[in-house]
Amino acid sequence: MYTSYFGLKENPFSMTPDTRYLFLSPQHSEALNHLLYGINEKKGFIVITGGIGTGKTTLCRKLLSVLDQSVDSALIFNPSLSEIELLAAVNQEFGVKSGPGRKTRKRCIDALNKFLLKNFSAGRNAVLLIDEAQNLSRGVLEQVRMLSNLETEREKLLQIVLIGQPELEKLLTSPSLKQLNERITVRYNLIPFNYHQEESYIRHRLAVAGGDNGDPLFSSQACRKIHSYSKGIPRRINAICDRALLIAYSRDTNTISRDLVRKAVSDIGSGYLTDKIISQRKRKRLLLLSGLIIIIFLLLAVTVNRDMVFDFFSNTDFFKWDR
């Protein structure tokens, strides 16, 4: 709606994980390098964690786009699978057929192992990426561990990347998954942007969307206000910026100010506010409510005792004088 108004070719703050818009901050670049190192050096297990909206899925898609042509990949987005369903999904992603008849764990693993050995003989590598891995059951994670047993005497035939929220690390430290946790040789945790990275992120997305390099659309004060609300989380930044641009368009203004950002966050709702800001607002509301209760109490007290006060002064000789 507002793209042409601001001279943009497309929406710069879409929520879809478009790799063209991936901003390689120092931490995202380092995470990508960890992934490439673990896969190319055939380290077996790799774990990438990060909070909601920190760009894990976009990073995953970016990885797939830069992998060497000699690497076959399988990407699992739906972690709500049984052990057999996971094996079937992995084989399907790799284009492996288990043959006719009912799919069993043994038939799926045998077919996958045959494919991986043939792949290895041809000088190729294979990587399995599982997104939202924190939602995998312990039984499925144990099945994933068993897949790492597909190896030669020297190398792992399958590199496995688990991508998930911080809960994944907690899950992996459970006693039942000790063997899996000990096999993870490459780990990285994505953290949110700092203020300067966030400002560069906003400029980057506007540039990719076709914005010019003239006067900044978002003022520095607006960027600071966005950071105070978003805490550097890309998904929150996108939501706030998108709403701010829409409001600016409706008000026929070409600059995003801090007040406009505040209005954008208010429109979106508390879901995009930080806990600190929500607590501050709750305290303000509590103070206002307390003040209102006190005022109402005083008014009631004055109303109830008004007649008593009037009678006191009318019956006393204090205000009487001789005429």
Side-chain angles (χ1 to χ4, degrees):
M1 177 181 288
Y2 57 72
T3 51
S4 59
Y5 176 79
F6 291 109
L8 302 169
K9 297 177 182 178
E10 56 190 18
N11 185 345
F13 298 106
S14 173
M15 293 294 190
T16 55
D18 190 337
T19 56
R20 294 178 303 138
Y21 284 92
L22 176 64
F23 174 67
L24 286 175
S25 67
Q27 56 264 33
H28 284 79
S29 294
E30 193 171 356
L32 183 59
N33 288 334
H34 273 67
L35 286 165
L36 291 172
Y37 167 76
I39 293 170
N40 293 332
E41 296 298 320
K42 298 184 177 181
K43 292 297 183 178
F45 269 109
I46 308 164
V47 169
I48 302 292
T49 55
I52 297 173
T54 51
K56 300 184 299 296
T57 299
T58 307
L59 184 68
C60 179
R61 291 184 180 276
K62 179 65 175 180
L63 170 67
L64 292 174
S65 70
V66 299
L67 282 176
D68 190 89
Q69 293 296 317
S70 64
V71 180
D72 292 300
S73 61
L75 178 60
I76 305 297
F77 271 117
N78 176 22
S80 301
L81 301 171
S82 66
E83 297 169 35
I84 294 295
E85 288 172 337
L86 175 71
L87 291 172
V90 170
N91 284 356
Q92 183 177 359
E93 284 290 307
F94 278 127
V96 177
K97 295 182 179 180
S98 303
R102 187 172 66 89
K103 287 184 175 64
T104 63
R105 181 182 288 103
K106 183 178 185 307
R107 292 184 66 184
C108 287
I109 292 178
D110 286 348
L112 178 60
N113 188 49
K114 182 179 179 180
F115 162 77
L116 293 173
L117 286 171
K118 183 178 180 181
N119 221 34
F120 175 77
S121 298
R124 301 181 63 81
N125 195 358
V127 56
L128 166 63
L129 298 100
I130 304 178
D131 200 7
E132 299 295 343
Q134 77 279 353
N135 294 323
L136 293 173
S137 68
R138 285 178 171 77
V140 173
L141 279 170
E142 179 61 18
Q143 180 62 72
V144 171
R145 182 189 70 82
M146 296 298 291
L147 291 180
S148 68
N149 291 333
L150 303 177
E151 57 189 357
T152 66
E153 293 181 355
R154 294 176 299 150
E155 295 180 342
K156 295 289 185 181
L157 294 175
L158 180 64
Q159 319 315 313
I160 302 172
V161 180
L162 300 178
I163 303 171
Q165 297 172 25
E167 294 85 352
L168 175 60
E169 277 289 359
K170 184 177 180 181
L171 178 63
L172 291 171
T173 57
S174 61
S176 61
L177 295 173
K178 182 179 180 180
Q179 292 188 60
L180 170 58
N181 196 39
E182 290 178 347
R183 295 191 184 194
I184 299 169
T185 56
V186 180
R187 301 174 190 258
Y188 194 86
N189 181 55
L190 280 172
I191 60 175
F193 298 139
N194 61 33
Y195 164 69
H196 297 291
Q197 292 169 352
E198 180 216 79
E199 191 172 22
S200 297
Y201 171 82
I202 293 173
R203 309 276 187 250
H204 167 76
R205 293 193 72 102
L206 287 170
V208 173
D212 57 33
N213 296 320
D215 294 334
L217 186 56
F218 288 79
S219 68
S220 296
Q221 293 80 6
C223 289
R224 288 192 180 278
K225 182 58 66 175
I226 292 170
H227 189 262
S228 71
Y229 285 124
S230 69
K231 291 303 177 186
I233 298 174
R235 186 179 298 172
R236 290 185 175 186
I237 297 171
N238 288 357
I240 296 171
C241 289
D242 179 64
R243 183 56 62 92
L245 288 173
L246 180 60
I247 295 173
Y249 165 74
S250 66
R251 294 183 179 181
D252 196 24
T253 180
N254 293 315
T255 303
I256 310 300
S257 65
R258 59 185 299 176
D259 290 335
L260 202 149
V261 169
R262 192 179 292 111
K263 168 62 176 171
V265 173
S266 178
D267 286 354
I268 294 172
S270 62
Y272 286 90
L273 301 180
T274 63
D275 293 338
K276 180 179 179 181
I277 294 172
I278 291 173
S279 297
Q280 290 173 347
R281 291 192 171 187
K282 285 182 177 179
R283 284 196 297 270
K284 288 180 180 178
R285 289 174 186 153
L286 183 59
L287 288 172
L288 288 173
L289 181 61
S290 300
L292 182 61
I293 291 173
I294 292 172
I295 292 172
I296 293 173
F297 177 78
L298 291 173
L299 289 173
L300 288 172
V302 169
T303 301
V304 170
N305 295 307
R306 181 177 55 190
D307 294 338
M308 296 175 61
V309 173
F310 178 78
D311 290 340
F312 171 78
F313 283 106
S314 63
N315 293 328
T316 184
D317 293 333
F318 184 80
F319 290 106
K320 292 182 180 179
W321 61 85
D322 291 335
R323 297 188 180 183

Coordinates of all heavy atoms in Angstrom, one line a residue, residues 233-273:
I233 N 15.3 -7.5 18.2 CA 14.8 -8.7 17.6 C 14.3 -8.4 16.2 O 13.3 -7.6 16.1 CB 13.8 -9.4 18.5 CG1 14.4 -9.8 19.8 CG2 13.2 -10.6 17.8 CD1 13.4 -10.3 20.8
P234 N 14.9 -9.0 15.1 CA 14.5 -8.6 13.8 C 13.0 -8.7 13.5 O 12.4 -7.8 12.9 CB 15.2 -9.6 12.9 CG 16.5 -9.9 13.7 CD 16.0 -9.9 15.2
R235 N 12.3 -9.7 14.0 CA 10.9 -9.9 13.7 C 10.1 -8.7 14.3 O 9.1 -8.2 13.7 CB 10.3 -11.2 14.2 CG 8.9 -11.5 13.9 CD 8.4 -12.8 14.4 NE 9.2 -13.9 13.8 CZ 9.1 -15.2 14.2 NH1 8.3 -15.5 15.2 NH2 9.9 -16.1 13.6
R236 N 10.4 -8.3 15.5 CA 9.8 -7.2 16.1 C 10.1 -5.9 15.4 O 9.2 -5.0 15.2 CB 10.2 -7.0 17.6 CG 9.6 -8.1 18.5 CD 10.0 -7.9 19.9 NE 9.4 -8.9 20.8 CZ 9.4 -8.8 22.2 NH1 10.1 -7.8 22.7 NH2 8.8 -9.7 22.9
I237 N 11.3 -5.7 15.0 CA 11.7 -4.5 14.2 C 10.9 -4.4 13.0 O 10.4 -3.4 12.6 CB 13.2 -4.6 13.9 CG1 14.1 -4.6 15.1 CG2 13.6 -3.4 13.0 CD1 15.5 -4.9 14.9
N238 N 10.7 -5.5 12.3 CA 9.9 -5.5 11.0 C 8.5 -5.1 11.3 O 7.9 -4.3 10.5 CB 9.9 -6.9 10.4 CG 11.3 -7.3 9.8 OD1 12.2 -6.5 9.8 ND2 11.4 -8.5 9.3
A239 N 7.9 -5.7 12.3 CA 6.5 -5.4 12.6 C 6.3 -3.9 13.0 O 5.4 -3.2 12.5 CB 6.0 -6.2 13.8
I240 N 7.2 -3.3 13.8 CA 7.1 -1.9 14.1 C 7.4 -1.0 12.9 O 6.6 0.0 12.7 CB 8.1 -1.6 15.3 CG1 7.8 -2.4 16.5 CG2 8.1 -0.1 15.6 CD1 8.8 -2.3 17.6
C241 N 8.4 -1.3 12.2 CA 8.7 -0.5 11.0 C 7.6 -0.5 10.0 O 7.2 0.5 9.4 CB 10.0 -0.9 10.4 SG 11.5 -0.5 11.3
D242 N 7.0 -1.7 9.7 CA 5.9 -1.8 8.8 C 4.7 -1.0 9.2 O 4.1 -0.2 8.4 CB 5.5 -3.3 8.7 CG 4.4 -3.5 7.7 OD1 4.6 -3.2 6.5 OD2 3.3 -3.9 8.1
R243 N 4.3 -1.0 10.5 CA 3.2 -0.2 10.9 C 3.5 1.3 10.9 O 2.7 2.1 10.6 CB 2.8 -0.7 12.4 CG 1.6 0.0 12.9 CD 0.4 -0.1 12.0 NE 0.0 -1.5 11.9 CZ -0.9 -2.1 12.7 NH1 -1.5 -1.5 13.6 NH2 -1.2 -3.4 12.5
A244 N 4.8 1.6 11.3 CA 5.2 3.0 11.3 C 5.1 3.6 9.9 O 4.6 4.7 9.7 CB 6.6 3.2 11.8
L245 N 5.5 2.9 8.9 CA 5.4 3.3 7.5 C 4.0 3.5 7.0 O 3.6 4.4 6.3 CB 6.1 2.3 6.5 CG 7.7 2.3 6.6 CD1 8.2 1.2 5.8 CD2 8.2 3.7 6.2
L246 N 3.1 2.6 7.5 CA 1.7 2.7 7.1 C 1.1 3.9 7.8 O 0.3 4.6 7.1 CB 1.0 1.4 7.6 CG -0.5 1.4 7.3 CD1 -0.8 1.4 5.8 CD2 -1.2 0.1 7.9
I247 N 1.4 4.2 9.0 CA 0.9 5.4 9.7 C 1.4 6.7 9.0 O 0.6 7.6 8.8 CB 1.2 5.4 11.2 CG1 0.6 4.2 11.9 CG2 0.8 6.7 11.8 CD1 1.0 4.0 13.3
A248 N 2.7 6.7 8.7 CA 3.3 7.8 8.0 C 2.6 8.1 6.7 O 2.3 9.2 6.3 CB 4.8 7.6 7.8
Y249 N 2.3 7.0 6.0 CA 1.6 7.1 4.7 C 0.2 7.7 4.9 O -0.2 8.6 4.1 CB 1.5 5.7 4.0 CG 0.5 5.6 2.9 CD1 0.8 6.2 1.6 CD2 -0.7 5.0 3.1 CE1 -0.2 6.1 0.6 CE2 -1.6 4.9 2.1 CZ -1.4 5.4 0.8 OH -2.3 5.3 -0.2
S250 N -0.5 7.2 5.9 CA -1.9 7.7 6.1 C -1.9 9.2 6.6 O -2.8 9.9 6.4 CB -2.6 6.9 7.2 OG -1.9 7.0 8.4
R251 N -0.8 9.7 7.2 CA -0.6 11.0 7.6 C 0.1 11.9 6.6 O 0.3 13.1 6.9 CB 0.1 11.1 9.0 CG -0.7 10.4 10.1 CD 0.1 10.5 11.4 NE -0.6 9.9 12.5 CZ -0.2 9.9 13.8 NH1 1.0 10.5 14.1 NH2 -0.9 9.4 14.8
D252 N 0.4 11.4 5.5 CA 1.1 12.1 4.4 C 2.4 12.8 4.9 O 2.6 13.9 4.6 CB 0.1 13.2 3.9 CG 0.6 13.7 2.5 OD1 1.3 13.0 1.8 OD2 0.2 14.9 2.2
T253 N 3.2 12.0 5.6 CA 4.5 12.5 6.1 C 5.6 11.5 5.5 O 5.4 10.3 5.4 CB 4.6 12.6 7.6 OG1 5.9 13.1 8.0 CG2 4.3 11.2 8.3
N254 N 6.8 12.1 5.3 CA 7.9 11.3 4.7 C 9.0 10.9 5.7 O 10.0 10.3 5.3 CB 8.5 12.1 3.6 CG 7.6 12.2 2.4 OD1 6.9 11.3 2.0 ND2 7.5 13.5 1.9
T255 N 8.8 11.2 7.0 CA 9.8 10.9 8.0 C 9.1 10.2 9.2 O 8.1 10.6 9.6 CB 10.5 12.2 8.5 OG1 11.0 12.9 7.4 CG2 11.6 11.9 9.5
I256 N 9.8 9.2 9.6 CA 9.3 8.4 10.8 C 10.0 9.0 12.0 O 11.2 8.9 12.2 CB 9.7 6.9 10.6 CG1 9.3 6.4 9.3 CG2 9.0 6.1 11.8 CD1 7.8 6.5 9.0
S257 N 9.2 9.6 12.9 CA 9.6 10.2 14.1 C 9.5 9.2 15.3 O 8.8 8.2 15.2 CB 8.9 11.5 14.4 OG 7.5 11.2 14.7
R258 N 10.0 9.6 16.4 CA 9.9 8.7 17.6 C 8.4 8.7 18.1 O 8.0 7.6 18.5 CB 10.8 9.2 18.7 CG 10.5 10.6 19.2 CD 11.5 11.1 20.2 NE 11.5 10.3 21.4 CZ 12.3 10.4 22.4 NH1 13.3 11.3 22.3 NH2 12.2 9.7 23.5
D259 N 7.7 9.8 17.9 CA 6.3 9.7 18.3 C 5.5 8.8 17.4 O 4.6 8.1 17.9 CB 5.7 11.2 18.3 CG 6.3 12.1 19.4 OD1 6.7 11.5 20.4 OD2 6.3 13.3 19.2
L260 N 5.8 8.8 16.1 CA 5.1 7.9 15.2 C 5.4 6.5 15.5 O 4.6 5.6 15.4 CB 5.5 8.3 13.8 CG 4.6 7.9 12.7 CD1 4.7 8.9 11.5 CD2 4.9 6.5 12.2
V261 N 6.7 6.2 15.9 CA 7.0 4.8 16.4 C 6.2 4.4 17.6 O 5.7 3.3 17.7 CB 8.6 4.7 16.6 CG1 8.9 3.4 17.3 CG2 9.4 4.9 15.4
R262 N 6.1 5.3 18.5 CA 5.3 5.1 19.7 C 3.9 4.7 19.4 O 3.3 3.8 19.9 CB 5.4 6.3 20.7 CG 4.8 6.0 22.1 CD 4.9 7.2 23.0 NE 6.3 7.5 23.3 CZ 7.0 8.6 22.8 NH1 6.3 9.5 22.1 NH2 8.2 8.8 23.2
K263 N 3.3 5.5 18.4 CA 2.0 5.2 17.9 C 1.9 3.8 17.3 O 0.9 3.1 17.4 CB 1.5 6.3 17.0 CG 0.3 6.0 16.2 CD -0.9 5.9 17.1 CE -2.2 5.7 16.2 NZ -3.4 5.4 17.1
A264 N 2.9 3.5 16.5 CA 2.9 2.2 15.8 C 2.9 1.0 16.8 O 2.2 0.1 16.6 CB 4.2 2.1 14.9
V265 N 3.7 1.2 17.8 CA 3.8 0.1 18.9 C 2.4 0.0 19.6 O 2.0 -1.1 19.9 CB 4.9 0.4 19.8 CG1 4.9 -0.6 21.0 CG2 6.3 0.3 19.1
S266 N 1.8 1.2 19.9 CA 0.5 1.2 20.5 C -0.5 0.5 19.7 O -1.4 -0.3 20.2 CB 0.1 2.6 20.8 OG -1.2 2.6 21.4
D267 N -0.5 0.7 18.4 CA -1.4 0.0 17.4 C -1.2 -1.5 17.4 O -2.2 -2.3 17.3 CB -1.3 0.6 16.0 CG -1.9 2.0 15.9 OD1 -2.5 2.4 16.9 OD2 -1.7 2.6 14.8
I268 N 0.1 -1.9 17.4 CA 0.4 -3.3 17.3 C -0.1 -4.1 18.5 O -0.7 -5.2 18.5 CB 1.9 -3.6 17.1 CG1 2.3 -3.0 15.8 CG2 2.2 -5.1 17.2 CD1 3.8 -3.0 15.6
G269 N 0.1 -3.5 19.7 CA -0.3 -4.1 20.9 C 0.8 -4.6 21.8 O 2.0 -4.5 21.4
S270 N 0.5 -5.1 23.0 CA 1.5 -5.4 24.0 C 2.4 -6.6 23.5 O 3.4 -6.8 24.1 CB 0.9 -5.7 25.3 OG 0.0 -6.8 25.2
G271 N 2.0 -7.4 22.5 CA 2.8 -8.5 22.1 C 4.1 -8.1 21.6 O 5.1 -8.9 21.6
Y272 N 4.3 -6.9 21.2 CA 5.6 -6.4 20.6 C 6.3 -5.5 21.6 O 7.3 -4.8 21.2 CB 5.4 -5.7 19.3 CG 5.2 -6.7 18.2 CD1 3.9 -7.1 17.9 CD2 6.2 -7.4 17.5 CE1 3.6 -8.1 16.9 CE2 6.0 -8.3 16.5 CZ 4.7 -8.7 16.2 OH 4.4 -9.6 15.3
L273 N 5.8 -5.4 22.8 CA 6.5 -4.6 23.8 C 7.4 -5.5 24.7 O 7.1 -6.6 24.9 CB 5.4 -3.9 24.7 CG 4.4 -3.0 24.0 CD1 3.5 -2.4 25.0 CD2 5.1 -1.9 23.2

